[in-house]
Amino acid sequence: MEQAWLLPGLTFGAFTVLSLASLTGLARRIPGGGAWLSIAAALVSFVLFWPVAADEQARGTHSFAIPWVQVAGLELTAGMAIDPLTVLMLGLITFVALCVQVYSTGYMRGESRYSWYFAALSLFVTAMLGLVLADNYLLLYIMWELVGFCSYLLIGFYYDRKAAAEAAKKAFVTTRLGDVGLLIGILLLFRATGTFQMSGVFHAVETGAIEPATLSLAALLLFLGAMGKSAQFPFHVWLPDAMEGPTPVSALIHAATMVAAGVYLVARSYPLFSAVPGMLMFMTLVGLITTIMAAGIALVVTDIKKVIAYSTVSKLGFMVAVLGAGGAGFTAAIFYLVTHGFFKALLFLGAGSVIHATHRQDLQELGGLGRKMPLTASVLLIATLALAGLPPLSGFWSKDEALVALSQRGPLVYGLAILSVFLSAIYGARLWFRLFTGPAPTADHESGPVAEDESEPGTHALATHDAPVAMALPMLALAAMSVVGGVVALPAVGALVGMPQGIGSYLFFHEPEPFYFDAGVAVTSTTAALLGLFVASGLYWWRIWSPAALQARFSRAHALLERKFLVDEVYQWAIDHIVLASGRLVALFDRAVLNDAGVNGPGVVTVALSALLKYTQTGRLANYALIMVIGLLVLFAAAFGFAM
């Protein structure tokens, strides 16, 4: 565990070499554009993860720190804290990063900034690994901001396209709103406890050393940061637009790692959140609103990446809601986060395979790809069924553990969670059926090397090949984890990987959470998923019902979903009529009061007075004598007035 710093150290080294090579033009002389260096760093980090995990299981939680900065008697340290939560996140990040980087060698081949792409990926992995290893809030915040910066770079990779540039700015600004809250919350905790160390803050919480009002405000502000990064309502608007970046970026950043940082922050700070009355219930409320809203929108969008993006928003909301369920929810939410990372990354990579082959990503221009892309169709089917939560796939075990926790929140919360399962099955199956079944496009098209092509709308292109080996192998690896990744919940399987009673005996809040199979929850959730699959099959495969007729019948609801519940429009109205109007008032105050009156005013007054005073300097003795006489008369009159 003491050498765990090597994991981010290796990827940072790859970033340093590749970024310098890109800036100096030497990247063209490096074999393969240097992608092998980034992949090697990710591979070694993944290999080194295993001894770290084994050491943690043998020795328990470990933390250490080194002196960092000393200011006015205050000593700040930089260190690592390694516990089961850290280990699970390290495993997820290194595995998915390795898969995505190998996949990118096929997907991004031919890009003009190929080396810079891998440099930015390496920096992102460095930031994410540093974030989960951080033992204090200050270091966590620095890595948190670096993660956001890397996301900005990668979303805007195709910066010459206006949509990509705007999406990068939107993501950066929207998440900054939450990040400001996070920073203020951290500073409040530091002021109350005198330390940035998480262990010190949690000890102060347990001993009641923080005033309840301060603790409540700090917890709310920290959660604000988590809401921004994990795209919770109303900060969810940035993530679907972030699909303008390359598809592998979406798989790594916007499915498995960065957006999970908010969920990780809540889990890492769980002693703080659980100590604030009503805070966990507020999390559940925000999470349920997010999961239902995003699932509804995913039913109608036609861009295949945005369907998966709204699914990600929905599932992140599900995780946040589960975290609000208390102790059992802590284990279940992180379990779902890990399995979700596998099958959601697979969904994005499968979508990327379709885009790479067809140069299309609109469902209205795609269809009938099953025969030409059997591998992609197969792995996407696995990911879709895992998303729906069908047994025995990974999503079934983690989803049911989460539903068991949510059932303790009452029938309304449990009912909404089951509704989200039903909707997930519909939009997941809708995507699969419309891609791989149904009418095929009319014209065959020989696909080229460019992945993110903006082709002329209204034309059709059929895939002429399945995923190449470099793209197929990572998808198969993720498919395998999507199948078997959830069985660690079972005691017998968990014992094989050092979890004798399943994952609940390894990762827990107050006390171990033994595996509990609730047959009622399993039957209910599986029935909801099967009903969703049946509805989607009837609409898009068997064509028992007409989607167009259904849309016409519920036109108002469909329009509301298409307009994303008007959230983006409300934001735009607020920007146009409040933000910009306030900006104009501030600009007017700046020009008229601060600049014209405050800065230029003294100069203008001085010039005006000097213009008047210059007439007193005539150079004539008679004028000066007259002024002296007048002055004497004034003084005499004043003295006489006082005497009276």
Side-chain angles (χ1 to χ4, degrees):
M1 288 187 285
E2 289 82 359
Q3 279 73 49
W5 62 270
L6 286 171
L7 276 70
L10 288 167
T11 54
F12 183 74
F15 158 74
T16 303
V17 173
L18 289 176
S19 60
L20 290 176
S22 299
L23 292 173
T24 58
L26 296 176
R28 286 170 287 185
R29 301 182 183 180
I30 303 177
W36 59 270
L37 181 61
S38 182
I39 294 172
L43 174 61
V44 176
S45 294
F46 178 62
V47 171
L48 292 179
F49 152 74
W50 293 101
V52 172
D55 197 23
E56 193 281 329
Q57 286 187 333
R59 297 165 54 191
T61 299
H62 176 75
S63 63
F64 72 93
I66 59 174
W68 183 14
V69 179
Q70 288 186 342
V71 180
L74 173 65
E75 180 178 346
L76 302 180
T77 62
M80 302 186 302
I82 302 175
D83 60 6
L85 177 59
T86 305
V87 168
L88 288 175
M89 292 300 297
L90 289 177
L92 176 65
I93 295 166
T94 53
F95 177 72
V96 175
L98 177 60
C99 290
V100 167
Q101 298 212 35
V102 173
Y103 179 96
S104 295
T105 59
Y107 190 89
M108 300 297 290
R109 188 176 303 279
E111 288 288 347
S112 59
R113 296 189 300 136
Y114 187 75
S115 297
W116 171 245
Y117 168 82
F118 280 94
L121 276 186
S122 293
L123 181 61
F124 169 79
V125 176
T126 300
M128 196 66 206
L129 290 172
L131 190 154
V132 301
L133 284 169
D135 72 332
N136 68 83
Y137 279 113
L138 184 59
L139 182 58
L140 179 144
Y141 182 77
I142 292 172
M143 294 300 171
W144 183 277
E145 291 298 327
L146 185 56
V147 163
F149 173 67
C150 294
S151 176
Y152 172 80
L153 293 177
L154 290 165
I155 294 170
F157 181 79
Y158 300 110
Y159 61 87
D160 52 334
R161 292 186 349 205
K162 183 178 179 181
E166 292 296 326
K169 288 190 290 185
K170 184 175 183 179
F172 194 77
V173 172
T174 305
T175 54
R176 289 294 75 68
L177 296 175
D179 293 354
V180 169
L182 174 61
L183 178 59
I184 296 173
I186 291 173
L187 294 177
L188 280 176
L189 291 174
F190 173 75
R191 182 180 180 183
T193 64
T195 181
F196 288 110
Q197 292 296 123
M198 295 179 189
S199 57
V201 172
F202 300 155
H203 178 72
V205 171
E206 293 172 0
T207 58
I210 305 177
E211 293 183 0
T214 301
L215 181 61
S216 299
L217 181 58
L220 185 61
L221 290 170
L222 260 63
F223 185 59
L224 195 66
M227 289 172 64
K229 201 69 91 186
S230 287
Q232 298 299 289
F233 173 84
F235 301 119
H236 66 282
V237 294
W238 68 268
L239 198 151
D241 288 7
M243 298 302 105
E244 292 294 335
T247 305
V249 169
S250 302
L252 177 62
I253 296 182
H254 305 126
T257 53
M258 183 190 113
V259 293
V263 177
Y264 168 80
L265 174 64
V266 174
R268 175 58 69 199
S269 306
Y270 212 65
L272 187 152
F273 289 115
S274 60
V276 177
M279 191 68 210
L280 296 183
M281 192 63 219
F282 178 68
M283 287 182 193
T284 298
L285 176 63
V286 171
L288 287 175
I289 292 174
T290 303
T291 190
I292 299 299
M293 176 181 289
I297 299 173
L299 294 172
V300 301
V301 291
T302 59
D303 185 301
I304 59 176
K305 288 175 66 176
K306 289 192 175 181
V307 173
I308 305 172
Y310 277 109
S311 172
T312 301
V313 174
S314 178
K315 293 309 176 184
L316 289 169
F318 185 73
M319 295 175 209
V320 170
V322 176
L323 279 171
F330 175 86
T331 300
I334 300 304
F335 185 26
Y336 193 82
L337 184 153
V338 174
T339 58
H340 172 267
F342 298 142
F343 60 73
K344 189 54 63 67
L346 179 58
L347 280 169
F348 271 116
L349 295 188
S353 178
V354 172
I355 296 170
H356 182 266
T358 66
H359 291 191
R360 300 289 184 274
Q361 58 188 71
D362 194 315
L363 287 174
Q364 297 174 346
E365 300 175 0
L366 294 166
L369 301 177
R371 292 184 178 180
K372 288 187 173 289
M373 306 185 71
L375 174 65
T376 301
S378 299
V379 296
L380 272 182
L381 180 60
I382 292 173
T384 300
L385 297 180
L387 173 70
L390 290 186
L393 304 178
S394 62
F396 167 75
W397 303 102
S398 57
K399 173 211 63 180
D400 273 29
E401 288 291 295
L403 289 173
V404 169
L406 285 174
S407 65
Q408 300 173 9
R409 280 294 188 184
L412 177 60
V413 170
Y414 180 61
L416 290 174
I418 293 294
L419 175 61
S420 74
V421 173
F422 173 71
L423 295 176
S424 299
I426 294 178
Y427 66 66
R430 167 182 176 260
L431 177 65
W432 194 89
F433 284 132
R434 293 195 62 173
L435 282 176
F436 301 109
T437 65
T442 57
D444 200 5
H445 179 75
E446 192 70 30
S447 60
V450 181
E452 304 288 332
D453 182 35
E454 290 187 343
S455 304
E456 182 180 344
T459 61
H460 292 274
L462 276 179
T464 56
H465 62 80
D466 210 330
V469 174
M471 295 168 59
L473 291 178
M475 289 196 296
L476 289 172
L478 287 167
M481 293 305 300
S482 298
V483 173
V484 304
V487 294
V488 294
L490 301 175
V493 179
L496 298 177
V497 292
M499 305 176 187
Q501 298 300 318
I503 191 172
S505 66
Y506 177 67
L507 175 72
F508 52 87
F509 180 42
H510 274 314
E511 55 187 21
E513 298 287 342
F515 174 72
Y516 174 68
F517 181 78
D518 190 312
V521 170
V523 170
T524 303
S525 65
T526 303
T527 302
L530 290 173
L531 282 175
L533 294 175
F534 173 77
V535 170
S537 301
L539 286 168
Y540 304 107
W541 188 20
W542 302 321
R543 301 190 179 278
I544 301 173
W545 309 293
S546 167
L550 196 64
Q551 175 181 337
R553 183 173 182 181
F554 300 99
S555 57
R556 291 187 178 181
H558 188 275
L560 184 63
L561 293 175
E562 276 195 325
R563 296 175 67 179
K564 308 166 191 174
F565 290 96
L566 309 180
V567 175
D568 284 273
E569 296 178 27
V570 170
Y571 272 126
Q572 194 61 55
W573 182 91
I575 291 171
D576 293 339
H577 296 86
I578 299 177
V579 176
L580 294 181
S582 301
R584 285 190 287 269
L585 288 175
V586 171
L588 178 62
F589 178 80
D590 176 65
R591 289 193 301 270
V593 178
L594 297 180
N595 188 67
D596 295 346
V599 177
N600 295 337
V604 171
V605 171
T606 301
V607 170
L609 291 176
S610 64
L612 294 174
L613 290 174
K614 70 180 181 180
Y615 294 111
T616 65
Q617 304 298 321
T618 63
R620 296 180 180 180
L621 185 60
N623 290 345
Y624 297 153
L626 177 61
I627 292 173
M628 291 173 63
V629 171
I630 293 173
L632 288 172
L633 290 175
V634 170
L635 291 174
F636 177 75
F640 181 75
F642 282 120
M644 295 294 292

